[in-house]
Amino acid sequence: MRFLKQLHIQVLLGLAAGIVLALCAPATAIAMKPLGDGFIALLRMLMAPIVFCTVIHGLSHARDLRKLGMLGVKTLVYFEVVSTLGLALGLVAVNLFKPGLGLHAINLSTASGDKISQFAASASHMNVTQFFMDIIPRTMVGAFSTGDMLQVLLVTLLVGVALMMTVGPDSLLLRGIEESQRVLFKVLSFVMRLAPLGAFGAMAFAVGSYGGATLLYLLKVVAVYWGASVLFVVVVLGGIMSWSGVSLWSLLSLIKEEILLVFGTASGEVAFPRLVEKLKEAGCDEMVVGFVLPAGYAFNLDGTSIYMAISVGFIAQATDTPFSLGQQLAVLAVLMLTSKGGAMVAGGAFIKLAATMESVKALPLNGLGLLFGIDRPMATATAVTNMIGNAVAVVTLSKVEQGLDTERFRERVKAGHAIGVRAEPAELAIPDSLPK
């Protein structure tokens, strides 16, 4: 029964138990929601300090500000190109399979209209100026209290660059941050023992709340979206990984526990702390991991891009709204901006959709009501695709920066004992010294 000690097996059992409970006793399953929420909250608690320590520690190895600036430019270009490919794939898929055609959903319920008005109110404040102003926190400490990834990243980069310019590599302050990073990873190992319980609670609540009827109502659009996401991962991200010299399947094997956790909780946040750990241990450049991964959670949203493209096409089809190729290209241009940022905010996808539809004035805003019933399965695919896309970005940009140890990567995958893969106490422990 040694295999039961493996974390991904425990998470799978938790997911299966949650589904069984939801089918047998929906009311009891819904009451399990705090288990999933609590687990996600624990991981969110660790995100801001881990981002701070990881980025600072990574920047401490880059004494060349010019090199850091070039990495930033390459990162943003990569994010924009890949996420735009996701948008294009989403538009092609929704036009090819037409999941909303024939639904004739012209009149939507009042309840949905009330919810949409709330999202529209939030979307009315979204513009380019406000987007950049929101990145600036009220105080440096405030960024960490709210947990906003963009704000935390801004403060961390400012502090990191300042440290690069004022202290030496052997500074006591940098050593203290390195020690703090090890402590945080140790705390993470404690929290990860609760992963099966968190996955159980999240899955039980999801299936118990929405049930088969609601999910089947728009099964076609869900299938189109999941199919497009899988195609994107296999073809686009798989092609990028092949260029990097590491197979996509090797990466998926390395992060299989994180994929299962994100699948069960529909939240990409649960994967971030362990992705930092695993990617560094597997031979990715430490500076790239520290810079690219946090930035990816705000700007490299491949799954969100596919989701928004399919959603606007589906709403047009379902509400019998004429939507020409020219209008679709205009929406694509707007989505290139509105799909960025706020990926982990509750309701963020709906707010972004509302902002996009308000901008182009081509689709009925009430069409968003069609998507409420399938929020959970759509959010799950979005979170998983975003997470895999960010892992691929780290590997690829490590290759670009000539900081990817492909042999070490393959050895870690083949050995099957990258940090934190198994749930045994000895293997969850953080090594005495972090990789340099």
Side-chain angles (χ1 to χ4, degrees):
M1 303 295 285
R2 180 178 173 81
F3 75 97
L4 291 177
K5 295 182 179 181
Q6 299 180 26
L7 182 60
H8 70 281
I9 297 296
Q10 295 177 7
V11 172
L12 278 175
L13 291 175
L15 293 173
I19 293 172
V20 171
L21 178 62
L23 295 177
C24 297
T28 303
I30 292 174
M32 297 296 106
K33 185 175 185 290
L35 296 177
D37 290 347
F39 177 68
I40 294 174
L42 285 170
L43 289 170
R44 282 177 175 168
M45 172 186 72
L46 293 171
M47 281 194 66
I50 285 180
V51 167
F52 181 81
C53 292
T54 300
V55 173
I56 296 295
H57 194 254
L59 293 182
S60 68
H61 293 269
R63 311 311 299 177
D64 187 350
L65 284 176
R66 184 175 179 275
K67 180 179 180 181
L68 178 61
M70 289 301 298
L71 174 61
V73 172
K74 294 173 185 177
T75 298
L76 290 178
V77 170
Y78 173 90
F79 288 170
E80 193 59 52
V81 170
V82 177
S83 59
T84 300
L85 289 175
L87 288 171
L89 177 61
L91 283 179
V92 170
V94 77
N95 280 284
L96 182 63
F97 295 99
K98 302 184 184 300
L101 194 64
L103 186 57
H104 308 300
I106 300 175
N107 297 316
L108 299 171
S109 67
T110 303
S112 294
D114 293 339
K115 291 181 180 179
I116 292 167
S117 64
Q118 298 174 10
F119 289 117
S122 299
S124 64
H125 301 291
M126 290 184 66
N127 53 59
V128 177
T129 302
Q130 191 61 43
F131 174 80
F132 286 105
M133 290 300 295
D134 287 342
I135 297 177
I136 306 173
R138 288 180 176 270
T139 65
M140 293 182 71
V141 177
F144 295 88
S145 63
T146 61
D148 186 290
M149 180 66 75
L150 285 175
Q151 293 184 359
V152 171
L153 188 57
L154 174 63
V155 172
T156 303
L157 287 174
L158 290 175
V159 174
V161 172
L163 285 173
M164 288 173 61
M165 299 174 66
T166 56
V167 304
D170 57 347
S171 166
L172 290 176
L173 186 56
L174 291 178
R175 289 175 59 186
I177 291 174
E178 182 177 352
E179 292 290 331
S180 299
Q181 186 182 46
R182 291 216 302 270
V183 171
L184 287 169
F185 282 151
K186 188 64 176 179
V187 174
L188 173 63
S189 72
F190 298 153
V191 173
M192 289 310 300
R193 297 174 188 272
L194 301 175
L197 193 62
F200 163 76
M203 185 59 71
F205 170 75
V207 179
S209 297
Y210 303 115
T214 304
L215 297 181
L216 288 173
Y217 174 64
L218 296 173
L219 179 61
K220 188 174 181 180
V221 69
V222 173
V224 169
Y225 178 48
W226 274 80
S229 298
V230 171
L231 183 65
F232 179 84
V233 170
V234 173
V235 176
V236 178
L237 298 184
I240 295 173
M241 287 296 293
S242 295
W243 175 85
S244 300
V246 179
S247 74
L248 174 66
W249 311 116
S250 296
L251 177 64
L252 297 182
S253 175
L254 181 72
I255 62 173
K256 57 181 177 294
E257 290 85 8
E258 287 66 43
I259 293 174
L260 290 172
L261 287 173
V262 173
F263 180 85
T265 61
S267 170
E269 292 175 313
V270 300
F272 178 83
R274 284 167 57 85
L275 278 180
V276 171
E277 228 179 333
K278 283 190 170 182
L279 291 172
K280 286 199 302 182
E281 183 66 16
C284 294
D285 185 272
E286 187 165 356
M287 183 184 72
V288 174
V289 175
F291 181 85
V292 173
L293 195 60
Y297 267 68
F299 293 105
N300 187 39
L301 309 175
D302 304 330
T304 303
S305 298
I306 301 171
Y307 166 80
M308 293 180 69
I310 289 180
S311 294
V312 294
F314 169 73
I315 290 172
Q317 296 165 6
T319 57
D320 300 323
T321 303
F323 199 39
S324 67
L325 178 61
Q327 289 174 312
Q328 292 183 45
L329 293 176
V331 170
L332 178 65
V334 175
L335 286 173
M336 290 173 67
L337 174 64
T338 57
S339 62
K340 305 296 187 294
M344 295 175 290
V345 178
F350 285 108
I351 293 174
K352 289 183 218 173
L353 272 177
T356 303
M357 293 164 65
E358 280 285 290
S359 299
V360 297
K361 306 290 185 183
L363 300 173
L365 193 59
N366 280 356
L368 285 172
L370 296 168
L371 300 173
F372 289 136
I374 55 174
D375 177 61
R376 177 69 187 206
M378 299 284 270
T380 299
T382 300
V384 172
T385 306
N386 284 344
M387 188 268 288
I388 296 174
N390 283 318
V392 170
V394 170
V395 175
T396 303
L397 288 165
S398 292
K399 173 71 172 182
V400 170
E401 293 297 302
Q402 298 181 344
L404 176 63
D405 188 339
T406 55
E407 289 301 319
R408 183 176 178 183
F409 197 102
R410 295 190 188 100
E411 287 173 4
R412 284 292 178 182
V413 174
K414 185 176 180 180
H417 59 262
I419 287 182
V421 167
R422 299 182 187 274
E424 299 173 18
E427 294 179 341
L428 279 171
I430 303 302
D432 293 333
S433 60
L434 293 174
K436 303 296 183 186

